[in-house]
Amino acid sequence: MDTQPDRAYDPLNIPDSRGLNLFDCDAGLAALLKVYLPASVYDHWLPTWRKLGARAGGELDLLALSADKNPPKLLPRTRRGEDLQSIQKHPDFVALERVAYAELGLAAMSHREDGTLALSKYALTYLFVQAEFGLCCPVSMTDSLTRTLRKFGSPQLQARYLPSLVSQDFDSLFQGAMFMTEQAAGSDVSRTETRARQIDGEWQLFGEKWFCSNPDADLAMVLARPDDAPSGMKGVSLFLLPKLRPDGSRNAYRIQRLKDKLGSRSMASGEITLEGATAYLIGEVGRGFQQMADMINMSRLSNGVRAAGLMRRGINESLYIARNRRAFGRHLIEMPLMQRQLLKMMLPTEQARSMFMQIATLLPKADAGDEAARKCVRILTPLIKFRACRDARRVTGDAMEVRGGVGYIEEWSDARLVRDAHLGSIWEGTSNIVALDIARAVTREQALEPLQLFLANLLAEAQLPAASQRLFEGVLQRTVARVAEVAHEQRDEQVRLAGSALYHIATAIFMAWESSRQAGDYRRLALAHLLLQHKLLPRDPLSPEPEIEAGLLARLANESPLTQADALQLLPKTL
């Protein structure tokens, strides 16, 4: 079926972007990937990214819209009356699973022996999520569970389960999940009440898990408390829960119901009762949360990538509408107020993109034993989870507004983007919890000093104009000092503000550094200067917004290349 619209003439004045290639229409993506990836890696993946961009704007978007309208159903018994539960997924969601798990290998890619770089995977995720958000949760959990099993699981468990977890054979591969949340133990994991008992030499789990995404996964990581363990966090241990026992029989847990959710409707989330389910201890007794923390951190990074993707889909739609819809005798993109609205949406979108690319570049170094890189990843990951997921709620809402009343209709992507974006701020820790984790990264793991050094080195490499360099250095020093003060003095009520400031200066420096690597285009330096002006420097809220010359504002909104002189026009004049 031809889904490419006639873009030359629109008598209805309702631009329809169906069929837009979401890679090719993204002016900055290819250029950024060239900055972060070796040329040979970029050239290898470029055809795949381009193909996925085309599918995400057409075929996959249609499948996602259908899957969103047809959520999974819990079947409590077989048609013969057997007490064997199953979840019935819509065929269009299964088609999306086939693309993600088998064709692209998103869950297996990090665990290949071919040296695949983390950023290559996250670039695919970034494009895929612009079509389908819900499925990216099971994909991320499968990837993270595999990572945790490889780090802490026994050789026997690894030999038994890793081949299925990294397989791309759709009919035999395993999907993963993690079951942590209980009614009394949400963010406060120390209140976990699920019990683990050793019976006849094997661990069995008893209790209730309140929010379990992908509840019929082949394997799940579960937190539980052994009967003789102390109360509090020290008593919580980590277990691997298979759907099937080694003899092929169904394990002893029951899906009580599926959740009726605001967003991510395509993917099943349920409540589970563990009734003596066979499970396997992962790592040491009593260190369950510490061992699961790495899995959570990877899921938080994935949340940040997804937030960046949702925002970019909103930008893609908004730019297409602004360039093709006419009002009052002009295209919307020609109107200064629309240009400012687009620019305000672009800033957080570009921040999130730079942040996840930097983390993805640091991650292999951290895994290889680079302690400074590990500490940078440790603090940058909650930063992107905290800030980008909140920004996505606003950017997707603004994108709906750009489309107007039609954007409120569920036949279009906008409403789904808004609903899905709200989940990011809740999954893997609410904003308050994640902001407090930023402070813990400062005080418990001394991650702030390595991050400051990393950012200072990027500034030195960027070789910015002297005035710009001085401003960045001064704001970085002030921000780090403030974050350290808030964290060490345990001013919990201020951690959100301090964390946001650290996110803003880090992403501004990332963008300034990227600009120095893009010959002849200083657009990202211009955006970095705007970040300083609007997010980090003092300004009277009742004073007029700093003026941007009309031609420069138009080029910014159109994502056009900029000169260094253009970028310096946006350099704030004072601290």
Side-chain angles (χ1 to χ4, degrees):
M1 181 177 67
D2 182 13
T3 60
Q4 187 77 11
D6 180 0
R7 306 189 190 284
Y9 175 62
D10 179 18
L12 299 176
N13 199 24
I14 302 177
D16 190 342
S17 61
R18 174 64 51 71
L20 194 66
N21 186 312
L22 299 182
F23 182 87
D24 289 342
C25 76
D26 185 343
L29 181 55
L32 270 183
L33 289 169
K34 286 181 180 178
V35 168
Y36 283 97
L37 291 171
S40 59
V41 175
Y42 175 87
D43 292 340
H44 171 78
W45 283 104
L46 180 60
T48 305
W49 292 325
R50 275 221 166 104
K51 182 179 179 182
L52 180 57
R55 297 179 76 184
E59 167 205 355
L60 300 184
D61 192 50
L62 286 169
L63 292 173
L65 281 167
S66 173
D68 183 68
K69 301 290 184 299
N70 297 279
K73 299 177 181 178
L74 177 63
L75 305 181
R77 288 187 167 193
T78 70
R79 66 179 184 176
R80 298 196 312 161
E82 297 167 296
D83 192 19
L84 296 175
Q85 295 178 313
S86 62
I87 291 178
Q88 183 182 73
K89 302 173 183 178
H90 191 270
D92 288 342
F93 184 75
V94 176
L96 289 165
E97 286 185 309
R98 190 176 294 276
V99 173
Y101 283 103
E103 293 183 35
L104 297 174
L106 292 180
M109 191 175 296
S110 297
H111 312 288
R112 293 175 179 162
E113 300 301 326
D114 61 359
T116 298
L117 295 178
L119 182 53
S120 304
K121 176 191 72 174
Y122 286 123
L124 290 171
T125 303
Y126 176 78
L127 288 166
F128 186 88
V129 78
Q130 292 186 47
E132 164 59 15
F133 175 86
L135 176 56
C136 287
C137 171
V139 168
S140 170
M141 290 193 297
T142 305
D143 185 3
S144 300
L145 181 147
T146 305
R147 178 183 172 94
T148 302
L149 181 60
R150 291 179 66 182
K151 289 185 72 170
F152 301 110
S154 69
Q156 295 82 1
L157 286 177
Q158 292 184 28
R160 183 186 303 173
Y161 292 120
L162 282 180
S164 297
L165 285 166
V166 301
S167 171
Q168 288 183 235
D169 178 2
F170 188 71
D171 295 323
S172 63
L173 61 82
F174 276 15
Q175 294 188 27
M178 55 182 179
F179 303 159
M180 289 199 306
T181 305
E182 300 177 12
Q183 286 177 295
S187 300
D188 187 358
V189 175
S190 67
R191 298 184 63 187
T192 295
E193 295 178 354
T194 298
R195 311 305 297 186
R197 297 171 187 159
Q198 276 198 307
I199 301 174
D200 296 329
E202 74 171 22
W203 287 99
Q204 296 183 11
L205 304 184
F206 299 83
E208 301 272 348
K209 291 295 181 180
W210 177 242
F211 211 108
C212 304
S213 292
N214 206 22
D216 65 338
D218 301 279
L219 294 168
M221 289 290 184
V222 183
L223 290 177
R225 188 184 305 279
D227 279 341
D228 59 351
S231 61
M233 195 71 80
K234 291 182 179 180
V236 178
S237 299
L238 181 61
F239 295 87
L240 183 68
L241 174 74
K243 181 165 68 174
L244 301 179
R245 293 188 175 99
D247 63 4
S249 63
R250 188 63 178 261
N251 210 346
Y253 63 89
R254 182 179 301 277
I255 305 171
Q256 298 291 7
R257 64 168 178 164
L258 299 185
K259 304 284 195 181
D260 185 9
K261 297 173 294 184
L262 172 70
S264 65
R265 293 175 176 172
S266 60
M267 182 267 300
S269 298
E271 300 164 18
I272 283 180
T273 300
L274 299 153
E275 302 168 329
T278 299
Y280 305 99
L281 180 67
I282 299 295
E284 302 175 37
V285 172
R287 291 190 54 81
F289 184 76
Q290 291 87 342
Q291 291 158 179
M292 204 169 193
D294 184 72
M295 184 175 181
I296 294 169
N297 227 30
M298 290 302 98
S299 293
R300 286 178 174 174
L301 173 55
S302 181
N303 264 283
V305 176
R306 281 175 257 163
L310 290 176
M311 286 190 277
R312 186 63 219 187
R313 175 64 189 271
I315 291 289
N316 289 338
E317 295 293 322
S318 296
L319 282 171
Y320 185 81
I321 294 158
R323 289 165 177 162
N324 290 279
R325 183 171 172 82
R326 295 182 64 86
F328 309 107
R330 290 186 293 173
H331 284 103
L332 300 186
I333 194 71
E334 300 174 60
M335 301 177 179
L337 197 57
M338 176 59 73
Q339 292 167 355
R340 278 193 171 270
Q341 182 175 354
L342 290 169
L343 184 54
K344 288 179 180 180
M345 295 163 62
M346 287 173 182
L347 277 175
T349 302
E350 295 298 345
Q351 284 181 273
R353 179 150 69 178
S354 292
M355 180 66 91
F356 90 70
M357 289 192 179
Q358 284 285 353
I359 300 173
T361 303
L362 286 164
L363 190 59
K365 300 175 184 177
D367 288 342
D370 185 326
E371 184 63 9
R374 186 194 69 79
K375 289 184 176 182
C376 287
V377 169
R378 174 63 183 86
I379 193 169
L380 291 174
T381 301
L383 276 175
I384 191 174
K385 166 66 170 71
F386 166 58
R387 193 65 262 167
C389 292
R390 293 187 63 80
D391 289 340
R393 290 153 49 180
R394 178 170 57 83
V395 171
T396 55
D398 285 352
M400 175 188 284
E401 186 178 348
V402 171
R403 178 163 266 133
V406 173
Y408 201 66
I409 306 304
E410 292 279 358
E411 292 172 300
W412 301 76
S413 64
D414 306 81
R416 180 164 50 92
L417 291 179
V418 171
R419 289 189 279 103
D420 287 344
H422 277 72
L423 184 54
S425 294
I426 300 173
W427 241 340
E428 317 305 354
T430 60
S431 298
N432 285 347
I433 293 298
V434 179
L436 289 168
D437 192 45
I438 297 167
R440 281 194 295 272
V442 174
T443 57
R444 296 184 185 178
E445 304 199 34
Q446 294 78 51
L448 186 58
E449 185 177 348
L451 177 61
Q452 181 181 13
L453 180 60
F454 177 65
L455 295 173
N457 287 339
L458 289 181
L459 276 178
E461 290 177 18
Q463 297 183 330
L464 302 176
S468 183
Q469 184 82 15
R470 285 194 302 270
L471 185 57
F472 275 103
E473 289 174 349
V475 175
L476 174 61
Q477 185 175 4
R478 292 176 60 226
T479 303
V480 168
R482 182 59 177 158
V483 171
E485 179 184 31
V486 167
H488 289 293
E489 295 183 8
Q490 296 184 328
R491 298 183 185 179
D492 290 353
E493 75 281 3
Q494 297 180 27
V495 294
R496 291 174 67 124
L497 185 62
S500 292
L502 187 58
Y503 179 80
H504 294 319
I505 187 59
T507 51
I509 289 172
F510 293 157
M511 286 194 279
W513 176 83
E514 292 160 353
S515 184
S516 72
R517 297 297 189 270
Q518 295 177 329
D521 183 8
Y522 292 85
R523 173 181 171 78
R524 301 193 75 73
L525 179 59
L527 295 178
H529 287 161
L530 287 173
L531 273 177
L532 295 180
Q533 178 74 67
H534 291 281
K535 297 295 185 181
L536 289 163
L537 298 180
R539 187 170 75 85
D540 180 355
L542 297 180
S543 66
E545 287 192 343
E547 290 188 10
I548 302 176
E549 185 269 325
L552 177 55
L553 177 60
R555 294 197 298 279
L556 280 165
N558 253 312
E559 297 193 316
S560 302
L562 300 179
T563 66
Q564 187 179 81
D566 291 329
L568 289 175
Q569 282 189 52
L570 301 173
L571 178 66
K573 299 301 186 290
T574 59
L575 256 176

